[in-house]
């Protein structure tokens, strides 16, 4: 009787096993060596950029974008010039720079998901992704190369808009430090938006669904943070009764009795009103207390807040913030301070009508810049999406979705 042998259980194939297998294949077939991470990513990015440059759509879009940003720059310059003429003020085009930079950022939020969220899912749907995965280029190189190509495409649109950004800087009579900081902030935001799109493209099989999800994520950071901040404040706001001192009704009756005809401030009328004895009463009113210092970090993830806080701003001592960057950055930083009622309303002459506990201190004292916090949170989101895309893109896949094409 033949004895039946029990099969030896196979050990799970680790990442090192796959690397050794590829190296053995290279030695047996006489092929080249496995490319490194950066070399593989550069090859994928170069191939992706060649495919993008063959398309006329990007060229047409770049020309349209150049015309639009030029028209917006001229229109805003004319509007600022006209407003200064009407109000007989000295023309100052300082706000023009922040407006143009924000318009470029708006265009970046609209274009970045479109040029990145379909880069991998479209190839997976067309069955061409497998031809890249069977090469010796690693999964991380494929993912990073796609993201690098999408980022380079987004930076190309930034270069197209750069003449008008520089022109607005010259007209606004500001320093080159603001230009460098603004360009760096825009480049970082476009890079993170494209990283969102590439990560979602690797995770989601449907190109349309990946693009829509990328748009929703960018909208969540741009508009959703404002909604979330407002809702958080609405839920956390507390209403309490506070006391304040004011003149009694008897005092006002006696005060106005000195001038029953309302003829004006005569000598006798003034003497009579000054002789009226002061009577004060304590009344209560409902006041709201909003803990903005607990929820300001929600706005830190907003790309418009990050760009505004990174760029150096100009704040006038008398008029306050003078451009969009200053208003946004100043407003978000002041939210870090606790909402304390520092003003006591008092009509009675024992104190001045408005007593302030503020001794001329800087309202930004004790606050910190928010751009690095928001940028760090965005980097965490991008890293999570890229990691999920790496797990979804890595081969050999343990489980394939229904309808997936292997080759």
């Amino acid at each position: 009787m033949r004895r039946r042998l029990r099969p030896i259980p196979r050990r799970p194939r680790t990442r090192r096993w796959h690397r050794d297998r590829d190296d053995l294949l290279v030695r047996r077939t006489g092929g080249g060596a496995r490319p490194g991470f950066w070399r593989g990513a550069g090859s994928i990015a170069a191939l992706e950029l060649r495919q993008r440059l063959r398309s006329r759509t990007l060229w047409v879009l770049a020309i349209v974008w150049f015309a639009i940003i030029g028209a917006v720059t001229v229109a805003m310059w004319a509007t600022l010039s006209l407003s200064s003429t009407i109000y007989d003020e000295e023309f100052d085009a300082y706000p023009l720079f922040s407006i143009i930079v924000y318009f470029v950022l708006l265009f970046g939020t609209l274009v970045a998901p479109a040029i990145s969220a379909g880069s991998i899912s479209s190839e997976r749907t067309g069955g061409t992704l497998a031809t890249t995965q069977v090469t010796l280029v690693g999964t991380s190189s494929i993912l990073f190369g796609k993201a690098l190509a999408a980022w380079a495409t987004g930076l190309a649109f930034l270069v197209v808009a750069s003449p008008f950004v520089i022109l607005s800087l010259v007209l606004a009579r500001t320093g080159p430090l603001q230009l460098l900081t603004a360009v760096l902030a825009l480049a970082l935001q476009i890079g993170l938006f494209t990283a969102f799109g590439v990560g979602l493209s690797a995770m989601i099989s449907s190109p349309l669904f990946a693009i829509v999800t990328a748009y929703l994520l960018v909208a969540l950071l741009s508009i959703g943070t404002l909604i979330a901040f407002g809702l958080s404040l609405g839920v956390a706001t507390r209403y309490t009764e506070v006391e304040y001192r004011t003149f009694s009704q008897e005092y006002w009756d006696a005060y106005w009795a000195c001038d029953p005809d309302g003829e004006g401030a005569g000598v006798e009328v003034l003497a009579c009103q000054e002789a009226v004895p002061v009577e004060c009463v304590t009344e209560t009113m409902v006041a709201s207390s909003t803990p903005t210092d607990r929820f300001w970090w929600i706005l830190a993830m907003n790309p418009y807040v990050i760009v505004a806080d990174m760029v150096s701003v100009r704040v006038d001592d008398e008029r306050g913030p003078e451009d969009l960057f200053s208003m946004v950055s100043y407003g978000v930083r002041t939210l870090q301070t606790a909402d304390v009622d520092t003003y006591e309303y008092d009509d009675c002459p024992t104190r001045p009508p408005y007593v302030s506990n503020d001794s001329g201190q800087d309202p930004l004292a004790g606050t910190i810049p928010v751009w690095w916090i928001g940028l760090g949170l965005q980097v965490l989101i991008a890293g999570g999406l890229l990691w999920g895309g790496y797990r979804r893109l890595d081969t050999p896949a343990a489980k394939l979705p229904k309808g997936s094409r292997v080759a």
Side-chain angles (χ1 to χ4, degrees), residues 242-264:
V242 295
E243 295 182 349
Y244 68 98
R245 300 177 68 214
T246 184
F247 293 107
S248 64
Q249 186 62 38
E250 291 78 9
Y251 169 81
W252 286 116
D253 292 340
Y255 184 88
W256 294 115
C258 295
D259 187 17
D261 300 330
E263 295 179 354

mmCIF file with all atom_site columns, all heavy atoms in Angstrom, residues 242-264:
data_model
loop_
_atom_site.group_PDB
_atom_site.id
_atom_site.type_symbol
_atom_site.label_atom_id
_atom_site.label_alt_id
_atom_site.label_comp_id
_atom_site.label_asym_id
_atom_site.label_entity_id
_atom_site.label_seq_id
_atom_site.pdbx_PDB_ins_code
_atom_site.Cartn_x
_atom_site.Cartn_y
_atom_site.Cartn_z
_atom_site.occupancy
_atom_site.B_iso_or_equiv
_atom_site.pdbx_formal_charge
_atom_site.auth_seq_id
_atom_site.auth_comp_id
_atom_site.auth_asym_id
_atom_site.auth_atom_id
_atom_site.pdbx_PDB_model_num
ATOM 1   N N   . VAL A 1 242 ? -25.161 88.876  31.340 1.00 0.00 ? 242 VAL A N   1
ATOM 2   C CA  . VAL A 1 242 ? -24.145 89.742  31.932 1.00 0.00 ? 242 VAL A CA  1
ATOM 3   C C   . VAL A 1 242 ? -24.826 91.020  32.416 1.00 0.00 ? 242 VAL A C   1
ATOM 4   O O   . VAL A 1 242 ? -25.872 91.434  31.894 1.00 0.00 ? 242 VAL A O   1
ATOM 5   C CB  . VAL A 1 242 ? -23.024 90.065  30.916 1.00 0.00 ? 242 VAL A CB  1
ATOM 6   C CG1 . VAL A 1 242 ? -22.273 88.803  30.543 1.00 0.00 ? 242 VAL A CG1 1
ATOM 7   C CG2 . VAL A 1 242 ? -23.595 90.740  29.680 1.00 0.00 ? 242 VAL A CG2 1
ATOM 8   N N   . GLU A 1 243 ? -24.214 91.632  33.421 1.00 0.00 ? 243 GLU A N   1
ATOM 9   C CA  . GLU A 1 243 ? -24.748 92.869  33.981 1.00 0.00 ? 243 GLU A CA  1
ATOM 10  C C   . GLU A 1 243 ? -24.002 94.068  33.427 1.00 0.00 ? 243 GLU A C   1
ATOM 11  O O   . GLU A 1 243 ? -22.800 93.992  33.156 1.00 0.00 ? 243 GLU A O   1
ATOM 12  C CB  . GLU A 1 243 ? -24.636 92.836  35.508 1.00 0.00 ? 243 GLU A CB  1
ATOM 13  C CG  . GLU A 1 243 ? -25.480 91.762  36.162 1.00 0.00 ? 243 GLU A CG  1
ATOM 14  C CD  . GLU A 1 243 ? -25.359 91.808  37.673 1.00 0.00 ? 243 GLU A CD  1
ATOM 15  O OE1 . GLU A 1 243 ? -24.461 92.537  38.164 1.00 0.00 ? 243 GLU A OE1 1
ATOM 16  O OE2 . GLU A 1 243 ? -26.147 91.136  38.356 1.00 0.00 ? 243 GLU A OE2 1
ATOM 17  N N   . TYR A 1 244 ? -24.719 95.175  33.272 1.00 0.00 ? 244 TYR A N   1
ATOM 18  C CA  . TYR A 1 244 ? -24.114 96.426  32.845 1.00 0.00 ? 244 TYR A CA  1
ATOM 19  C C   . TYR A 1 244 ? -24.870 97.579  33.495 1.00 0.00 ? 244 TYR A C   1
ATOM 20  O O   . TYR A 1 244 ? -26.046 97.454  33.843 1.00 0.00 ? 244 TYR A O   1
ATOM 21  C CB  . TYR A 1 244 ? -24.127 96.552  31.323 1.00 0.00 ? 244 TYR A CB  1
ATOM 22  C CG  . TYR A 1 244 ? -25.506 96.726  30.719 1.00 0.00 ? 244 TYR A CG  1
ATOM 23  C CD1 . TYR A 1 244 ? -25.978 97.991  30.382 1.00 0.00 ? 244 TYR A CD1 1
ATOM 24  C CD2 . TYR A 1 244 ? -26.332 95.628  30.494 1.00 0.00 ? 244 TYR A CD2 1
ATOM 25  C CE1 . TYR A 1 244 ? -27.235 98.153  29.823 1.00 0.00 ? 244 TYR A CE1 1
ATOM 26  C CE2 . TYR A 1 244 ? -27.582 95.788  29.943 1.00 0.00 ? 244 TYR A CE2 1
ATOM 27  C CZ  . TYR A 1 244 ? -28.030 97.050  29.609 1.00 0.00 ? 244 TYR A CZ  1
ATOM 28  O OH  . TYR A 1 244 ? -29.275 97.213  29.074 1.00 0.00 ? 244 TYR A OH  1
ATOM 29  N N   . ARG A 1 245 ? -24.213 98.713  33.643 1.00 0.00 ? 245 ARG A N   1
ATOM 30  C CA  . ARG A 1 245 ? -24.787 99.878  34.303 1.00 0.00 ? 245 ARG A CA  1
ATOM 31  C C   . ARG A 1 245 ? -25.186 100.910 33.257 1.00 0.00 ? 245 ARG A C   1
ATOM 32  O O   . ARG A 1 245 ? -24.469 101.144 32.302 1.00 0.00 ? 245 ARG A O   1
ATOM 33  C CB  . ARG A 1 245 ? -23.796 100.478 35.288 1.00 0.00 ? 245 ARG A CB  1
ATOM 34  C CG  . ARG A 1 245 ? -23.371 99.525  36.390 1.00 0.00 ? 245 ARG A CG  1
ATOM 35  C CD  . ARG A 1 245 ? -22.343 100.161 37.292 1.00 0.00 ? 245 ARG A CD  1
ATOM 36  N NE  . ARG A 1 245 ? -22.924 101.247 38.077 1.00 0.00 ? 245 ARG A NE  1
ATOM 37  C CZ  . ARG A 1 245 ? -22.279 102.349 38.434 1.00 0.00 ? 245 ARG A CZ  1
ATOM 38  N NH1 . ARG A 1 245 ? -21.024 102.521 38.021 1.00 0.00 ? 245 ARG A NH1 1
ATOM 39  N NH2 . ARG A 1 245 ? -22.853 103.269 39.164 1.00 0.00 ? 245 ARG A NH2 1
ATOM 40  N N   . THR A 1 246 ? -26.310 101.516 33.491 1.00 0.00 ? 246 THR A N   1
ATOM 41  C CA  . THR A 1 246 ? -26.803 102.555 32.582 1.00 0.00 ? 246 THR A CA  1
ATOM 42  C C   . THR A 1 246 ? -27.631 103.552 33.378 1.00 0.00 ? 246 THR A C   1
ATOM 43  O O   . THR A 1 246 ? -27.956 103.330 34.562 1.00 0.00 ? 246 THR A O   1
ATOM 44  C CB  . THR A 1 246 ? -27.652 101.934 31.464 1.00 0.00 ? 246 THR A CB  1
ATOM 45  O OG1 . THR A 1 246 ? -28.032 102.961 30.543 1.00 0.00 ? 246 THR A OG1 1
ATOM 46  C CG2 . THR A 1 246 ? -28.896 101.266 32.014 1.00 0.00 ? 246 THR A CG2 1
ATOM 47  N N   . PHE A 1 247 ? -27.984 104.680 32.743 1.00 0.00 ? 247 PHE A N   1
ATOM 48  C CA  . PHE A 1 247 ? -28.792 105.697 33.404 1.00 0.00 ? 247 PHE A CA  1
ATOM 49  C C   . PHE A 1 247 ? -30.221 105.188 33.594 1.00 0.00 ? 247 PHE A C   1
ATOM 50  O O   . PHE A 1 247 ? -30.758 104.481 32.736 1.00 0.00 ? 247 PHE A O   1
ATOM 51  C CB  . PHE A 1 247 ? -28.810 106.982 32.579 1.00 0.00 ? 247 PHE A CB  1
ATOM 52  C CG  . PHE A 1 247 ? -27.481 107.674 32.503 1.00 0.00 ? 247 PHE A CG  1
ATOM 53  C CD1 . PHE A 1 247 ? -26.738 107.648 31.337 1.00 0.00 ? 247 PHE A CD1 1
ATOM 54  C CD2 . PHE A 1 247 ? -26.983 108.344 33.603 1.00 0.00 ? 247 PHE A CD2 1
ATOM 55  C CE1 . PHE A 1 247 ? -25.513 108.289 31.262 1.00 0.00 ? 247 PHE A CE1 1
ATOM 56  C CE2 . PHE A 1 247 ? -25.763 108.992 33.542 1.00 0.00 ? 247 PHE A CE2 1
ATOM 57  C CZ  . PHE A 1 247 ? -25.015 108.954 32.372 1.00 0.00 ? 247 PHE A CZ  1
ATOM 58  N N   . SER A 1 248 ? -30.831 105.590 34.678 1.00 0.00 ? 248 SER A N   1
ATOM 59  C CA  . SER A 1 248 ? -32.201 105.177 34.964 1.00 0.00 ? 248 SER A CA  1
ATOM 60  C C   . SER A 1 248 ? -33.182 105.973 34.108 1.00 0.00 ? 248 SER A C   1
ATOM 61  O O   . SER A 1 248 ? -32.851 107.037 33.569 1.00 0.00 ? 248 SER A O   1
ATOM 62  C CB  . SER A 1 248 ? -32.509 105.382 36.449 1.00 0.00 ? 248 SER A CB  1
ATOM 63  O OG  . SER A 1 248 ? -32.449 106.770 36.773 1.00 0.00 ? 248 SER A OG  1
ATOM 64  N N   . GLN A 1 249 ? -34.378 105.484 34.008 1.00 0.00 ? 249 GLN A N   1
ATOM 65  C CA  . GLN A 1 249 ? -35.404 106.172 33.241 1.00 0.00 ? 249 GLN A CA  1
ATOM 66  C C   . GLN A 1 249 ? -35.782 107.500 33.893 1.00 0.00 ? 249 GLN A C   1
ATOM 67  O O   . GLN A 1 249 ? -36.095 108.480 33.197 1.00 0.00 ? 249 GLN A O   1
ATOM 68  C CB  . GLN A 1 249 ? -36.635 105.263 33.112 1.00 0.00 ? 249 GLN A CB  1
ATOM 69  C CG  . GLN A 1 249 ? -37.721 105.823 32.203 1.00 0.00 ? 249 GLN A CG  1
ATOM 70  C CD  . GLN A 1 249 ? -37.237 106.001 30.774 1.00 0.00 ? 249 GLN A CD  1
ATOM 71  O OE1 . GLN A 1 249 ? -36.483 105.164 30.273 1.00 0.00 ? 249 GLN A OE1 1
ATOM 72  N NE2 . GLN A 1 249 ? -37.654 107.092 30.139 1.00 0.00 ? 249 GLN A NE2 1
ATOM 73  N N   . GLU A 1 250 ? -35.753 107.591 35.225 1.00 0.00 ? 250 GLU A N   1
ATOM 74  C CA  . GLU A 1 250 ? -36.037 108.837 35.915 1.00 0.00 ? 250 GLU A CA  1
ATOM 75  C C   . GLU A 1 250 ? -35.019 109.908 35.550 1.00 0.00 ? 250 GLU A C   1
ATOM 76  O O   . GLU A 1 250 ? -35.356 111.099 35.428 1.00 0.00 ? 250 GLU A O   1
ATOM 77  C CB  . GLU A 1 250 ? -36.055 108.615 37.427 1.00 0.00 ? 250 GLU A CB  1
ATOM 78  C CG  . GLU A 1 250 ? -37.228 107.786 37.941 1.00 0.00 ? 250 GLU A CG  1
ATOM 79  C CD  . GLU A 1 250 ? -37.020 106.309 37.695 1.00 0.00 ? 250 GLU A CD  1
ATOM 80  O OE1 . GLU A 1 250 ? -35.886 105.920 37.273 1.00 0.00 ? 250 GLU A OE1 1
ATOM 81  O OE2 . GLU A 1 250 ? -37.967 105.513 37.903 1.00 0.00 ? 250 GLU A OE2 1
ATOM 82  N N   . TYR A 1 251 ? -33.759 109.507 35.413 1.00 0.00 ? 251 TYR A N   1
ATOM 83  C CA  . TYR A 1 251 ? -32.733 110.468 35.027 1.00 0.00 ? 251 TYR A CA  1
ATOM 84  C C   . TYR A 1 251 ? -33.021 111.036 33.645 1.00 0.00 ? 251 TYR A C   1
ATOM 85  O O   . TYR A 1 251 ? -32.915 112.252 33.432 1.00 0.00 ? 251 TYR A O   1
ATOM 86  C CB  . TYR A 1 251 ? -31.350 109.806 35.066 1.00 0.00 ? 251 TYR A CB  1
ATOM 87  C CG  . TYR A 1 251 ? -30.263 110.643 34.430 1.00 0.00 ? 251 TYR A CG  1
ATOM 88  C CD1 . TYR A 1 251 ? -29.664 111.676 35.134 1.00 0.00 ? 251 TYR A CD1 1
ATOM 89  C CD2 . TYR A 1 251 ? -29.856 110.409 33.118 1.00 0.00 ? 251 TYR A CD2 1
ATOM 90  C CE1 . TYR A 1 251 ? -28.676 112.455 34.569 1.00 0.00 ? 251 TYR A CE1 1
ATOM 91  C CE2 . TYR A 1 251 ? -28.863 111.179 32.525 1.00 0.00 ? 251 TYR A CE2 1
ATOM 92  C CZ  . TYR A 1 251 ? -28.278 112.203 33.255 1.00 0.00 ? 251 TYR A CZ  1
ATOM 93  O OH  . TYR A 1 251 ? -27.304 112.984 32.667 1.00 0.00 ? 251 TYR A OH  1
ATOM 94  N N   . TRP A 1 252 ? -33.367 110.154 32.683 1.00 0.00 ? 252 TRP A N   1
ATOM 95  C CA  . TRP A 1 252 ? -33.644 110.649 31.330 1.00 0.00 ? 252 TRP A CA  1
ATOM 96  C C   . TRP A 1 252 ? -34.900 111.525 31.300 1.00 0.00 ? 252 TRP A C   1
ATOM 97  O O   . TRP A 1 252 ? -34.947 112.514 30.546 1.00 0.00 ? 252 TRP A O   1
ATOM 98  C CB  . TRP A 1 252 ? -33.813 109.461 30.375 1.00 0.00 ? 252 TRP A CB  1
ATOM 99  C CG  . TRP A 1 252 ? -32.527 108.763 30.033 1.00 0.00 ? 252 TRP A CG  1
ATOM 100 C CD1 . TRP A 1 252 ? -32.193 107.490 30.331 1.00 0.00 ? 252 TRP A CD1 1
ATOM 101 C CD2 . TRP A 1 252 ? -31.410 109.327 29.351 1.00 0.00 ? 252 TRP A CD2 1
ATOM 102 N NE1 . TRP A 1 252 ? -30.932 107.189 29.882 1.00 0.00 ? 252 TRP A NE1 1
ATOM 103 C CE2 . TRP A 1 252 ? -30.425 108.320 29.259 1.00 0.00 ? 252 TRP A CE2 1
ATOM 104 C CE3 . TRP A 1 252 ? -31.137 110.589 28.824 1.00 0.00 ? 252 TRP A CE3 1
ATOM 105 C CZ2 . TRP A 1 252 ? -29.188 108.529 28.655 1.00 0.00 ? 252 TRP A CZ2 1
ATOM 106 C CZ3 . TRP A 1 252 ? -29.908 110.801 28.217 1.00 0.00 ? 252 TRP A CZ3 1
ATOM 107 C CH2 . TRP A 1 252 ? -28.949 109.785 28.132 1.00 0.00 ? 252 TRP A CH2 1
ATOM 108 N N   . ASP A 1 253 ? -35.894 111.207 32.104 1.00 0.00 ? 253 ASP A N   1
ATOM 109 C CA  . ASP A 1 253 ? -37.088 112.044 32.141 1.00 0.00 ? 253 ASP A CA  1
ATOM 110 C C   . ASP A 1 253 ? -36.745 113.443 32.630 1.00 0.00 ? 253 ASP A C   1
ATOM 111 O O   . ASP A 1 253 ? -37.195 114.460 32.062 1.00 0.00 ? 253 ASP A O   1
ATOM 112 C CB  . ASP A 1 253 ? -38.152 111.411 33.046 1.00 0.00 ? 253 ASP A CB  1
ATOM 113 C CG  . ASP A 1 253 ? -38.695 110.121 32.446 1.00 0.00 ? 253 ASP A CG  1
ATOM 114 O OD1 . ASP A 1 253 ? -38.539 109.939 31.211 1.00 0.00 ? 253 ASP A OD1 1
ATOM 115 O OD2 . ASP A 1 253 ? -39.247 109.278 33.204 1.00 0.00 ? 253 ASP A OD2 1
ATOM 116 N N   . ALA A 1 254 ? -35.942 113.525 33.688 1.00 0.00 ? 254 ALA A N   1
ATOM 117 C CA  . ALA A 1 254 ? -35.539 114.835 34.204 1.00 0.00 ? 254 ALA A CA  1
ATOM 118 C C   . ALA A 1 254 ? -34.600 115.552 33.244 1.00 0.00 ? 254 ALA A C   1
ATOM 119 O O   . ALA A 1 254 ? -34.623 116.789 33.119 1.00 0.00 ? 254 ALA A O   1
ATOM 120 C CB  . ALA A 1 254 ? -34.884 114.665 35.582 1.00 0.00 ? 254 ALA A CB  1
ATOM 121 N N   . TYR A 1 255 ? -33.769 114.802 32.547 1.00 0.00 ? 255 TYR A N   1
ATOM 122 C CA  . TYR A 1 255 ? -32.817 115.402 31.604 1.00 0.00 ? 255 TYR A CA  1
ATOM 123 C C   . TYR A 1 255 ? -33.549 116.070 30.446 1.00 0.00 ? 255 TYR A C   1
ATOM 124 O O   . TYR A 1 255 ? -33.241 117.212 30.068 1.00 0.00 ? 255 TYR A O   1
ATOM 125 C CB  . TYR A 1 255 ? -31.868 114.300 31.112 1.00 0.00 ? 255 TYR A CB  1
ATOM 126 C CG  . TYR A 1 255 ? -30.768 114.792 30.197 1.00 0.00 ? 255 TYR A CG  1
ATOM 127 C CD1 . TYR A 1 255 ? -29.570 115.242 30.727 1.00 0.00 ? 255 TYR A CD1 1
ATOM 128 C CD2 . TYR A 1 255 ? -30.934 114.783 28.807 1.00 0.00 ? 255 TYR A CD2 1
ATOM 129 C CE1 . TYR A 1 255 ? -28.554 115.687 29.888 1.00 0.00 ? 255 TYR A CE1 1
ATOM 130 C CE2 . TYR A 1 255 ? -29.932 115.224 27.970 1.00 0.00 ? 255 TYR A CE2 1
ATOM 131 C CZ  . TYR A 1 255 ? -28.744 115.677 28.511 1.00 0.00 ? 255 TYR A CZ  1
ATOM 132 O OH  . TYR A 1 255 ? -27.745 116.124 27.677 1.00 0.00 ? 255 TYR A OH  1
ATOM 133 N N   . TRP A 1 256 ? -34.504 115.374 29.858 1.00 0.00 ? 256 TRP A N   1
ATOM 134 C CA  . TRP A 1 256 ? -35.224 115.929 28.707 1.00 0.00 ? 256 TRP A CA  1
ATOM 135 C C   . TRP A 1 256 ? -36.269 116.952 29.120 1.00 0.00 ? 256 TRP A C   1
ATOM 136 O O   . TRP A 1 256 ? -36.724 117.746 28.297 1.00 0.00 ? 256 TRP A O   1
ATOM 137 C CB  . TRP A 1 256 ? -35.892 114.816 27.905 1.00 0.00 ? 256 TRP A CB  1
ATOM 138 C CG  . TRP A 1 256 ? -34.901 113.903 27.251 1.00 0.00 ? 256 TRP A CG  1
ATOM 139 C CD1 . TRP A 1 256 ? -34.710 112.594 27.512 1.00 0.00 ? 256 TRP A CD1 1
ATOM 140 C CD2 . TRP A 1 256 ? -33.967 114.270 26.241 1.00 0.00 ? 256 TRP A CD2 1
ATOM 141 N NE1 . TRP A 1 256 ? -33.703 112.086 26.737 1.00 0.00 ? 256 TRP A NE1 1
ATOM 142 C CE2 . TRP A 1 256 ? -33.218 113.115 25.930 1.00 0.00 ? 256 TRP A CE2 1
ATOM 143 C CE3 . TRP A 1 256 ? -33.655 115.461 25.588 1.00 0.00 ? 256 TRP A CE3 1
ATOM 144 C CZ2 . TRP A 1 256 ? -32.209 113.099 24.998 1.00 0.00 ? 256 TRP A CZ2 1
ATOM 145 C CZ3 . TRP A 1 256 ? -32.638 115.449 24.646 1.00 0.00 ? 256 TRP A CZ3 1
ATOM 146 C CH2 . TRP A 1 256 ? -31.920 114.275 24.341 1.00 0.00 ? 256 TRP A CH2 1
ATOM 147 N N   . ALA A 1 257 ? -36.658 116.966 30.390 1.00 0.00 ? 257 ALA A N   1
ATOM 148 C CA  . ALA A 1 257 ? -37.591 117.991 30.869 1.00 0.00 ? 257 ALA A CA  1
ATOM 149 C C   . ALA A 1 257 ? -36.958 119.377 30.874 1.00 0.00 ? 257 ALA A C   1
ATOM 150 O O   . ALA A 1 257 ? -37.678 120.390 30.868 1.00 0.00 ? 257 ALA A O   1
ATOM 151 C CB  . ALA A 1 257 ? -38.090 117.635 32.275 1.00 0.00 ? 257 ALA A CB  1
ATOM 152 N N   . CYS A 1 258 ? -35.650 119.446 30.899 1.00 0.00 ? 258 CYS A N   1
ATOM 153 C CA  . CYS A 1 258 ? -34.974 120.746 30.839 1.00 0.00 ? 258 CYS A CA  1
ATOM 154 C C   . CYS A 1 258 ? -35.149 121.422 29.481 1.00 0.00 ? 258 CYS A C   1
ATOM 155 O O   . CYS A 1 258 ? -35.003 122.644 29.374 1.00 0.00 ? 258 CYS A O   1
ATOM 156 C CB  . CYS A 1 258 ? -33.490 120.586 31.151 1.00 0.00 ? 258 CYS A CB  1
ATOM 157 S SG  . CYS A 1 258 ? -33.139 120.023 32.837 1.00 0.00 ? 258 CYS A SG  1
ATOM 158 N N   . ASP A 1 259 ? -35.436 120.667 28.468 1.00 0.00 ? 259 ASP A N   1
ATOM 159 C CA  . ASP A 1 259 ? -35.614 121.223 27.119 1.00 0.00 ? 259 ASP A CA  1
ATOM 160 C C   . ASP A 1 259 ? -36.834 120.587 26.480 1.00 0.00 ? 259 ASP A C   1
ATOM 161 O O   . ASP A 1 259 ? -36.731 119.781 25.558 1.00 0.00 ? 259 ASP A O   1
ATOM 162 C CB  . ASP A 1 259 ? -34.359 120.966 26.278 1.00 0.00 ? 259 ASP A CB  1
ATOM 163 C CG  . ASP A 1 259 ? -34.409 121.675 24.927 1.00 0.00 ? 259 ASP A CG  1
ATOM 164 O OD1 . ASP A 1 259 ? -35.225 122.600 24.767 1.00 0.00 ? 259 ASP A OD1 1
ATOM 165 O OD2 . ASP A 1 259 ? -33.625 121.275 24.028 1.00 0.00 ? 259 ASP A OD2 1
ATOM 166 N N   . PRO A 1 260 ? -38.022 120.911 26.976 1.00 0.00 ? 260 PRO A N   1
ATOM 167 C CA  . PRO A 1 260 ? -39.222 120.240 26.466 1.00 0.00 ? 260 PRO A CA  1
ATOM 168 C C   . PRO A 1 260 ? -39.527 120.585 25.015 1.00 0.00 ? 260 PRO A C   1
ATOM 169 O O   . PRO A 1 260 ? -40.119 119.788 24.301 1.00 0.00 ? 260 PRO A O   1
ATOM 170 C CB  . PRO A 1 260 ? -40.327 120.761 27.400 1.00 0.00 ? 260 PRO A CB  1
ATOM 171 C CG  . PRO A 1 260 ? -39.811 122.056 27.923 1.00 0.00 ? 260 PRO A CG  1
ATOM 172 C CD  . PRO A 1 260 ? -38.320 121.904 28.021 1.00 0.00 ? 260 PRO A CD  1
ATOM 173 N N   . ASP A 1 261 ? -39.134 121.760 24.562 1.00 0.00 ? 261 ASP A N   1
ATOM 174 C CA  . ASP A 1 261 ? -39.424 122.168 23.187 1.00 0.00 ? 261 ASP A CA  1
ATOM 175 C C   . ASP A 1 261 ? -38.367 121.686 22.186 1.00 0.00 ? 261 ASP A C   1
ATOM 176 O O   . ASP A 1 261 ? -38.574 121.787 20.978 1.00 0.00 ? 261 ASP A O   1
ATOM 177 C CB  . ASP A 1 261 ? -39.549 123.688 23.097 1.00 0.00 ? 261 ASP A CB  1
ATOM 178 C CG  . ASP A 1 261 ? -40.669 124.223 23.987 1.00 0.00 ? 261 ASP A CG  1
ATOM 179 O OD1 . ASP A 1 261 ? -41.641 123.462 24.178 1.00 0.00 ? 261 ASP A OD1 1
ATOM 180 O OD2 . ASP A 1 261 ? -40.547 125.358 24.471 1.00 0.00 ? 261 ASP A OD2 1
ATOM 181 N N   . GLY A 1 262 ? -37.227 121.220 22.679 1.00 0.00 ? 262 GLY A N   1
ATOM 182 C CA  . GLY A 1 262 ? -36.158 120.753 21.806 1.00 0.00 ? 262 GLY A CA  1
ATOM 183 C C   . GLY A 1 262 ? -35.544 121.867 20.992 1.00 0.00 ? 262 GLY A C   1
ATOM 184 O O   . GLY A 1 262 ? -35.201 121.679 19.827 1.00 0.00 ? 262 GLY A O   1
ATOM 185 N N   . GLU A 1 263 ? -35.375 123.061 21.594 1.00 0.00 ? 263 GLU A N   1
ATOM 186 C CA  . GLU A 1 263 ? -34.855 124.204 20.852 1.00 0.00 ? 263 GLU A CA  1
ATOM 187 C C   . GLU A 1 263 ? -33.343 124.141 20.669 1.00 0.00 ? 263 GLU A C   1
ATOM 188 O O   . GLU A 1 263 ? -32.801 124.783 19.787 1.00 0.00 ? 263 GLU A O   1
ATOM 189 C CB  . GLU A 1 263 ? -35.233 125.491 21.590 1.00 0.00 ? 263 GLU A CB  1
ATOM 190 C CG  . GLU A 1 263 ? -36.737 125.739 21.641 1.00 0.00 ? 263 GLU A CG  1
ATOM 191 C CD  . GLU A 1 263 ? -37.079 126.997 22.386 1.00 0.00 ? 263 GLU A CD  1
ATOM 192 O OE1 . GLU A 1 263 ? -36.132 127.607 22.958 1.00 0.00 ? 263 GLU A OE1 1
ATOM 193 O OE2 . GLU A 1 263 ? -38.265 127.386 22.413 1.00 0.00 ? 263 GLU A OE2 1
ATOM 194 N N   . GLY A 1 264 ? -32.652 123.431 21.481 1.00 0.00 ? 264 GLY A N   1
ATOM 195 C CA  . GLY A 1 264 ? -31.214 123.356 21.314 1.00 0.00 ? 264 GLY A CA  1
ATOM 196 C C   . GLY A 1 264 ? -30.492 123.516 22.627 1.00 0.00 ? 264 GLY A C   1
ATOM 197 O O   . GLY A 1 264 ? -31.098 123.581 23.708 1.00 0.00 ? 264 GLY A O   1
#
